[in-house]
């Protein structure tokens, strides 16, 4: 699977919270963001499939 780099802005408090979670679970911020996006896409894909 090919990958592309994207960037976006996020408020400081959310970044701090994300980094705290990453630290507690000894994970990388990027891994957490990828997991969050995967979960988001699964939920909305499920909804789209059921609407159709």
């Amino acid at each position: 699977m090919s990958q592309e780099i994207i960037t976006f802005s996020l408020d400081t408090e959310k970044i701090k919270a994300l980094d705290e979670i990453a630290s507690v679970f000894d994970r990388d911020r990027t891994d957490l963001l990828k997991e969050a996006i995967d979960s988001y896409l699964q939920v909305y894909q499920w909804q789209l499939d059921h609407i159709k």
Side-chain angles (χ1 to χ4, degrees), residues 5 10 14 16-17 23-26 30-32 39 42 47:
I5 295 174
L10 194 59
K14 288 179 183 171
K16 287 179 184 178
S23 176
V24 167
F25 289 99
D26 194 29
T30 300
D31 291 337
L32 294 180
S39 295
Q42 286 175 1
Q47 288 180 343

Side-chain angles (χ1 to χ4, degrees), residues 15-50:
I15 293 171
K16 287 179 184 178
L18 184 62
D19 287 342
E20 184 177 342
I21 293 167
S23 176
V24 167
F25 289 99
D26 194 29
R27 302 208 29 216
D28 186 89
R29 180 195 294 172
T30 300
D31 291 337
L32 294 180
L33 290 169
K34 286 179 182 180
E35 184 178 318
I37 291 170
D38 286 345
S39 295
Y40 178 91
L41 292 173
Q42 286 175 1
V43 166
Y44 282 95
Q45 187 59 56
W46 179 88
Q47 288 180 343
L48 289 173
D49 291 345
H50 284 78

